[in-house]
Amino acid sequence: MLLLVVVVLSASSSTASHHQTTDWLVGAVPDSRARVVEACWDDDDDDDDDAKSSICGLDLTNSIVSRRFALSPAFGTVDWLLNATAQHGGLQSMFRAVQPEARLRIDGVDFFVGCLDQTSGFRAYWKRRNGTLEKRKKNCLSYVRHRVRKPRAPFRWVPGTRGSPKTAKWPPEGIALEVDFAAAAAAADDELLEATVFYELYDGAPIMSKWLEVRRAAKGTTLEAVDVELFDAMPRFGAYFPHGSFVPGVDSNGASSDVVTMPQPLLFAKTDQAHGAACTWTDNWNASNIVVEGCESCDHDRGGNEPLLNCTSSPGVELDDDDERGFESFRVMVVAIDSPELERFTLSRHRLVQLLAPHAMENPVFFHATDVSVGGFERVVDQMSEVGFEMLIESFGSGFNLESTNATYVNLVASQVAYANARGIEVGGYDLIVVTRGVSPEWTAVNADGTLSNDACFASGWADHLEERVHAFIDETNISMLETDGPYGGEVCASTNHSHHKGLKDSVYQQSRRQSQFFRKLRDRGLYLNQPDEYFFQGGSRTGMGYDEQQYSLPRWEDLTLSRMGLYDDLYKHLPTQGWMFVPIIVYHAGSDAAAFDNRSLAFEWALAQYLGAGTAACYRGPHLWADDLEGRRIKAILLKWVAFYKAHRQTLVQPVVHLRRPDAFSWDGFLHVHPLSPTAEVGVALIFNPTTRRLNIQLRLPLYYCGLDDEALLTLDDDPTPARVKLARDYSATLLVDAAPLSIHTVIVARPTFSS
Ligand SMILES: *[C@@H]1O[C@H](CO)[C@@H](O)[C@H](O)[C@H]1NC(C)=O
Ligand SMILES: *[C@@H]1O[C@H](CO)[C@@H](O)[C@H](O)[C@H]1NC(C)=O
Ligand SMILES: *[C@@H]1O[C@H](CO)[C@@H](O)[C@H](O)[C@H]1NC(C)=O
Ligand SMILES: *[C@@H]1O[C@H](CO)[C@@H](O)[C@H](O)[C@H]1NC(C)=O
Ligand SMILES: *[C@@H]1O[C@H](CO)[C@@H](O)[C@H](O)[C@H]1NC(C)=O
Ligand SMILES: *[C@@H]1O[C@H](CO)[C@@H](O)[C@H](O)[C@H]1NC(C)=O
Ligand SMILES: *[C@@H]1O[C@H](CO)[C@@H](O)[C@H](O)[C@H]1NC(C)=O
Ligand SMILES: *[C@@H]1O[C@H](CO)[C@@H](O)[C@H](O)[C@H]1NC(C)=O
């Protein structure tokens, strides 16, 4: 669809409100549909009319963020605004100085995309009254045309799949601006070098993506490096690199730590690629150059603080004019955050994943089966279906062989999958695919020093072989999940005779690309993908939450406490559904009977409560869920209770948490899932643990701001038949008393007092 939005606006500063009225993290912001408008902006908000000059161009805006591009004297970013609520600083600019939109290094020469530059070498801040723009004279690709369309999905996905939010949008809703650029590739020839830069801005959130394509250089030219995002930011949004002043928080005179405690840059950026591309903040002070008259040493912006965001990679690929689309870069994803406060910062970052990898909110309750003999498999599937488990994975050590071509074996798996499918249970299996895989020599990665590695090269024939086998196995058996352990981990391969890369230089780019395509193709077929590493934006579902393997061999109560502590911390990094934990029903690495959860109903209940309560799947691993005896029947009852709880509150439990109190085995601990945009009355679920052997009278203060509540809340403690109507204090908290018996677990359901859907 081609959408041409040509609304000419004179964005006059006197009529626009200087702050946002709704906090995007807790409510739907009015008029926040992303759009591209043609507009002119005054250099300065002050009303000193004489000094006024206007810059005209394109405004990519959703009223929460606006990225402004000049069209004249050349194309380039001239401002990037964050429109926060008054409480978080109102309308503010992140922009410090002009940078090109991208840099391409081709055969040793730098080309800049978008030819905008600034006349002044003063770059410590943007001189709004008198900032002067100019056109770069050489080695730059000029604006040719632009198009406006809707964002496209990088792979197929249906919101609501496997219990994920039905309200998620796929592709994400927003607007895409595509800008074409071109230049003569070299002075001496008429060969054109072309690039298209893609910007996507999403509705209702300060979140953007950017990537580019490069085309039509002569054959044999190499794209050595590409900086996809270069942005000179003001500190607070960018990292602090001060030349003279001190970084906020620094204290070096006799303090316990004289380490500089640099605050987090508020413009959070990451790439969608697991390896071979990165966003970093660097000090761009050297780019400045103003000499003060009469002072030889007074060059640069003395006293300035000049962070540059540089999202870059070194693909080392030959550009090939046979390929219509040419080179496609990684994507940069950014969220502009208005506060360094940890929960707010974390919830903002989580939104980026919820928006751009919403399939990672699928969260099947799954079981790692170690006994997949005909009898063992059917027994455990029957148990799973009795208590509501949703997915079985034929575990490592079970003999599962994804790459088998043995028809007897494949038919056996197909019949097992059919047995499970008929009981509403999906089946998948485990395979080690690249790292330490040990494949035949012609597919093995070659280290930089010429020795053979232990890994497969994913830009060799191995990738084709594996892909062919995996899809055949899926066709033959109807498995619908895979645990692909050891995916491509970022290593080079120096081979010069592999089918999908030329040598060492393009080996990281080509292996990342193949690995990403491998996952995207599986995601297109609807597979659920356990994958260590960050392949979420390529279709991956879940990774290890962030534990140490050995903790699951500790005595089970130590394991539970330590794992709850780690999980609490890991929920700052991941959404609950992005990570898995582990429950060794039978011994995993070591630890003997003291580590196992089989036949231990109390420990089993804590495991279920802390993992299902966190919305985090655990690998419950063993030959069965429960044994056929009295303790086994207790475990079954506990499974029924907690799986039912999970399913009743799933839409809230898959949402991120606000952290209440970190587990310390000294007192209570807990977390609160927050779901401000819930389509039902339920907007929060808290889990409270008393791991001590004392009775605790907890005055539980629940911070309910991020549940989207303002005035009152309905709180249901445990299975209390009538919820309490509680007035919120002015810090948006509600306090409730919890009488917590030794070793007890409590739940609080938070609901809106009035609700109409
Ligand atoms: C900031 O938000 C307010 C309230 O929605 C809106 O009126 C104003 O135009 C916004 N400013 C910008 C620059 O987007
Ligand atoms: C604006 O910049 C120009 C060129 O750098 C300079 O000549 C002029 O004095 C400046 N004006 C003001 C008001 O700073
Ligand atoms: C940048 O400036 C710093 C501080 O003056 C200096 O130490 C460094 O060598 C400079 N780097 C470059 C690449 O010029
Ligand atoms: C961005 O980072 C890359 C890799 O470190 C570097 O080669 C490149 O010069 C940087 N770009 C700019 C504009 O500083
Ligand atoms: C094929 O698989 C079946 C079932 O797992 C097994 O019994 C048989 O030994 C396998 N055949 C070969 C040649 O590996
Ligand atoms: C294949 O598995 C899916 C679950 O992933 C199930 O819905 C479907 O019915 C199965 N198809 C067949 C032919 O059994
Ligand atoms: C591929 O290259 C390796 C060295 O990296 C060499 O040992 C091997 O013989 C080559 N194979 C073929 C088929 O050319
Ligand atoms: C659990 O109980 C069953 C049946 O009583 C028994 O076979 C099994 O060995 C027990 N498991 C452990 C780890 O004690």
Side-chain angles (χ1 to χ4, degrees), residues 108-122:
V109 179
D110 279 340
F111 290 89
F112 298 100
V113 177
C115 296
L116 196 69
D117 206 350
Q118 63 182 60
T119 49
S120 165
F122 184 87

Side-chain angles (χ1 to χ4, degrees), residues 402-437:
L402 179 67
E403 296 154 34
S404 174
T405 52
N406 173 344
T408 315
Y409 174 72
V410 171
N411 289 335
L412 171 69
V413 174
S415 67
Q416 291 186 329
V417 175
Y419 184 87
N421 284 171
R423 284 152 188 81
I425 291 167
E426 293 186 74
V427 179
Y430 172 96
D431 199 28
L432 182 64
I433 62 169
V434 176
V435 177
T436 70
R437 171 55 203 258

Side-chain angles (χ1 to χ4, degrees), residues 446 494-497:
V446 176
S495 169
T496 53
N497 54 23

Side-chain angles (χ1 to χ4, degrees), residues 366 368 393 396 429-432 481-485 530 580:
F366 79 134
H368 254 256
I393 163 164
F396 35 90
Y430 172 96
D431 199 28
L432 182 64
M481 89 76 73
L482 277 180
E483 179 158 329
T484 50
D485 203 1
N530 275 6
W580 69 71

Side-chain angles (χ1 to χ4, degrees), residues 585 593 596 598-600 624 627-629:
I585 293 177
D593 185 45
D598 202 8
N599 300 345
R600 310 289 173 163
H624 57 218
D628 190 16
D629 59 10

Side-chain angles (χ1 to χ4, degrees), residues 172-192:
E173 291 185 335
I175 203 90
L177 170 66
E178 302 180 353
V179 189
D180 293 336
F181 298 90
D189 72 41
D190 55 4
E191 166 82 38
L192 265 193

